[in-house]
Structure formats: structure tokens, C-alpha cells
Amino acid sequence: MKKVFVSGCYDMLHSGHVAFFEEAAGYGDLYVGIGSDKTIYELKARKTINTDEERLYMVKALRMVKDAWINKGSGVIDFLEELKTLRPDIFFVNSDGHSPEKEQLCKDLGIEYVVSKRIPHGNLPVRSTTALRQECRIPYRIDLAGGWLDQPFVSQHKGGAVLTIGIEPDYEFNDRSGMATSSRKKAIELWQTDIPEGDKQKLARTLFCYENPPGTHYVSGSQDALGIVLPGLNRLYYNGDYWPETIESVNDRALLQWVEERIWLIPLFPRAATYDVLAGRNITQASVQRLSEASGDCWGAILAKDAVAWGKATTESFETQIDMFPNMVSDKILRIIEKYKADVLGWKVSGAGGGGYLVFVNEQPITNAIQIRIRK
């Protein structure tokens, strides 16, 4: 029998986990590496419901699991030591657990890399731990273009728009991943389970003020709060202030579905705790003008349902951001982008970069990428 390895959290064990294990075990003897409580906290910024010892007990009790253990490492590749010891024939992952880093590691070690499509058992519903957690209804946020214009030290040079969409929490995006996770945690403190009824712009202002009380050293951009609270596609126009001068929202379901079908995410890795995106910044009036124009082009392309122009504008916005903030990317991220760029229409890195997720615009499916649902 071939040896098959999987690794994950497996908190609140559910039918989706079991179906995943059954699918993996179809390839051979199944070995399971489980993320420690410490590792999960570092990645997700939350405690697990069940301790690692409880999770280990439950996973080892499943009939299709040959053996299981708590991974000794940390971070996304917390299983490295165990992988080298086990030397499996196959490394099996879910689509939302896939990353170019894992794929390259398997290539280097001569291990076959297989990505599951998350198929439920029989007529059972698709399950995820995220969907079962009480706070799961609070959205995340993706900025599509114009990021940084919500900071006065940028938009004071030239006004411009940030384009955002609120993302349904079908996946539990890693902490420090550019998906407005810090603002989302504040939203959970305020509202526990979901965005309340009421004036959404007032609610977003409440969240922004709650996250940035008087005396805050670095003020989080208001696009995070607005991107989480406002449904649909939003154009937030900034002109030298922390709050947008105008807000334009689009909630046409046909357009939002068209956008959903053309956004593809590839997980990278969380930003390091010591990461400083502001180091070495070089902001000029010309670069801000360029960023503003790229954002405007992106908005027009999406409204016209022109995917080619959208992708081009997204890339232009991202490359302008890199010129202004070189620390947004590393050589490692650029090498990964290089592998995809010839086959996609446009690309960027989520949020302030430094890790998180690659966001691609493309008409055709991208292998092992995940897709999102926009809050409507």
C-alpha cells in the first residue's frame, strides 16, 4: 500500500473531515498530521474548540486512519519534520489547503501532490469548520484596486477610489492575510455573529472608530471596515481624509455573479509578525495619479463586464502599489506570480501584501485555486 499524508486542524470533527479522509484513504494507508493548539492560534488568531489532544484522539479513532500525531513544527508547513520522516508517496490536500509552497516542497522531496475537490459523502451537505463556528457570518474583505488610497498620506497627493467586495466566510482565511482579519475580529467583538440591521455606512463608521480609538499609532484604513460591512461591490473615493468623500455601491446580482466567476485565490502564507510594509516607501504625486487612474479603469471594466480590461487594470494598480511600497512583495512571492502570469488576465496580492493570498482575474479556471462568494 502507498503511504498517504494529510495535515490540518480538524477541529469540531464533522462529515466533511470524514469524507476528506475517506477520499485520501482511497489512495493508500492514511497518515494524519494535526496542527498544535499553538500553531492554530498563530495562523488563525483564535483558540481551537477542542485541544490538540482531543483532536488527536478523535482522528485516530477513525477506521480509515492508519496513524496520526501532533505536528511538531509551526506555521503553514508545521509538518516538515514528520513529512521527511514518513516519506509518503502522496501528499493529499483540500483546495483551500493548497499552496504553491506545499506543492514545491513535494516536488523537491519526490512526493506526489494531489488536491481534493471537497466532495461530500453521498447526499450529505458540504461542511466546513468555519461554517459551524458561531461567528462565521461576519464577512472578510478583498480590495480589488486602489489599495492605500484610504490613507491620507497617500490620497493627499491625489484623490482616488478603493474598490472593495465583502466576502462570505466559506473559508477561514489566515490571520494577517490581507483579508481585513483584524477589522473582522473587532466586528466580532462588537456584533458577535453577523452584521446587524441598520444603516450600513453608520455601522461601518462605528467599526472604524472602535478599531481606531483616540491615540491609535497606526490607523487602519477605513476600506477594511467598509469592505466588511457594505454588501456588493463598492467604490470608496478618498481625497486626503480617513473617511471616503463618496461611496458608490453596486448590488446587481448578475454583475456580482460575473465578478465571482472570475476571481481566483491561491493561498500563500501569513505575513510575518515583524513585517513592515511602510519601510522604504516612495510616494509621489505621479505614482498616486497612476494608482487612481488604474482604480478608475478597473471600476469601468467591471461595470462593462470586460474581463481583459479588468485584469489589466488590476495588474496596473498592483504594480503601482509595489513601486510606492516595495515591501509589499518578496522575491518568493514574485517567483510564484511568475508561474501564473502568462495564463491569467490580471493579478495582485491581498491587502498590503507580504503574504496572504494571490488574487487572480481570469475567465478560465485556475488549477487548485479557490473561489469566493460576495456578500449580497
Side-chain angles (χ1 to χ4, degrees):
M1 292 288 286
K2 290 185 176 181
K3 290 188 288 187
V4 183
F5 177 68
V6 302
S7 183
C9 175
Y10 311 119
D11 196 16
M12 300 173 66
L13 197 66
H14 53 70
S15 62
H17 290 138
V18 176
F20 173 71
F21 290 149
E22 285 180 332
E23 186 182 356
Y27 290 84
D29 288 336
L30 179 61
Y31 298 83
V32 183
I34 298 172
S36 67
D37 294 340
K38 181 176 182 293
T39 295
I40 301 305
Y41 187 82
E42 289 171 349
L43 291 175
K44 307 294 185 182
R46 63 159 177 82
K47 294 182 178 179
T48 57
I49 299 296
N50 299 308
T51 67
D52 45 27
E53 290 299 325
E54 289 177 288
R55 290 182 282 124
L56 177 61
Y57 167 73
M58 289 187 286
V59 169
K60 290 189 74 167
L62 296 173
R63 58 176 172 75
M64 75 289 293
V65 176
K66 181 80 171 180
D67 197 10
W69 53 78
I70 306 298
N71 294 329
K72 296 177 181 177
S74 60
V76 177
I77 312 294
D78 64 333
F79 49 80
L80 181 59
E81 180 180 334
E82 290 80 7
L83 191 70
K84 290 181 176 179
T85 300
L86 179 65
R87 298 293 298 185
D89 300 283
I90 296 171
F91 185 9
F92 194 81
V93 300
N94 260 329
S95 56
D96 52 312
H98 159 70
S99 73
E101 190 175 14
K102 292 177 184 177
E103 188 172 14
Q104 185 61 48
L105 175 62
C106 289
K107 184 178 181 181
D108 294 342
L109 296 176
I111 299 169
E112 183 181 355
Y113 186 76
V114 178
V115 182
S116 165
K117 298 303 180 184
R118 194 190 283 270
I119 302 171
H121 175 77
N123 295 321
L124 296 179
V126 175
R127 293 292 188 197
S128 72
T129 303
T130 303
L132 294 173
R133 292 178 64 86
Q134 188 180 33
E135 69 267 26
C136 72
R137 290 293 301 157
I138 302 286
Y140 292 89
R141 182 280 288 125
I142 292 179
D143 65 299
L144 299 179
W148 290 111
L149 284 164
D150 60 336
Q151 291 290 344
F153 67 83
V154 176
S155 66
Q156 67 182 359
H157 296 282
K158 168 68 179 176
V162 179
L163 310 186
T164 69
I165 48 176
I167 303 304
E168 296 288 6
D170 298 328
Y171 308 100
E172 188 170 14
F173 294 101
N174 285 328
D175 193 45
R176 297 181 61 79
S177 62
M179 306 292 285
T181 53
S182 60
S183 297
R184 183 175 184 265
K185 282 183 281 187
K186 292 297 183 181
I188 292 170
E189 288 180 17
L190 275 175
W191 302 313
Q192 284 79 56
T193 58
D194 205 350
I195 307 299
E197 296 295 325
D199 186 309
K200 293 296 190 281
Q201 290 191 32
K202 288 182 178 178
L203 290 169
R205 192 182 287 272
T206 299
L207 176 57
F208 175 68
C209 293
Y210 182 71
E211 186 176 9
N212 300 285
T216 300
H217 176 66
Y218 175 77
V219 177
S220 298
S222 62
Q223 63 143 310
D224 291 357
L226 286 159
I228 286 174
V229 173
L230 297 180
L233 168 66
N234 298 282
R235 178 180 180 274
L236 317 172
Y237 188 88
Y238 293 88
N239 194 12
D241 202 350
Y242 283 111
W243 197 255
E245 192 173 84
T246 60
I247 298 174
E248 187 175 352
S249 299
V250 175
N251 284 286
D252 177 73
R253 285 184 173 268
L255 179 62
L256 296 181
Q257 182 177 346
W258 183 86
V259 172
E260 290 172 343
E261 292 170 350
R262 287 159 180 79
I263 291 181
W264 307 85
L265 268 62
I266 295 287
L268 292 172
F269 32 79
R271 297 193 302 267
T274 56
Y275 171 71
D276 181 10
V277 69
L278 299 179
R281 67 189 184 190
N282 179 32
I283 302 168
T284 65
Q285 186 168 356
S287 62
V288 178
Q289 171 83 29
R290 182 181 163 202
L291 181 61
S292 177
E293 291 175 354
S295 175
D297 291 343
C298 187
W299 178 253
I302 292 174
L303 295 186
K305 293 186 178 180
D306 185 340
V308 174
W310 172 18
K312 181 180 178 181
T314 293
T315 303
E316 176 68 13
S317 173
F318 178 56
E319 291 182 348
T320 304
Q321 290 176 317
I322 294 173
D323 288 343
M324 296 163 64
F325 300 90
N327 265 17
M328 280 187 64
V329 294
S330 61
D331 289 341
K332 185 176 183 180
I333 292 175
L334 291 174
R335 284 195 298 269
I336 296 172
I337 292 175
E338 194 66 33
K339 294 179 180 179
Y340 288 92
K341 61 191 302 183
D343 301 315
V344 299
L345 298 176
W347 58 87
K348 69 182 297 293
V349 174
S350 57
Y357 294 83
L358 288 176
V359 182
F360 292 116
V361 177
N362 209 43
E363 295 269 24
Q364 303 301 321
I366 297 174
T367 303
N368 299 334
I370 60 178
Q371 290 192 280
I372 50 84
R373 289 188 303 128
I374 299 173
R375 171 63 62 94
K376 301 178 180 66

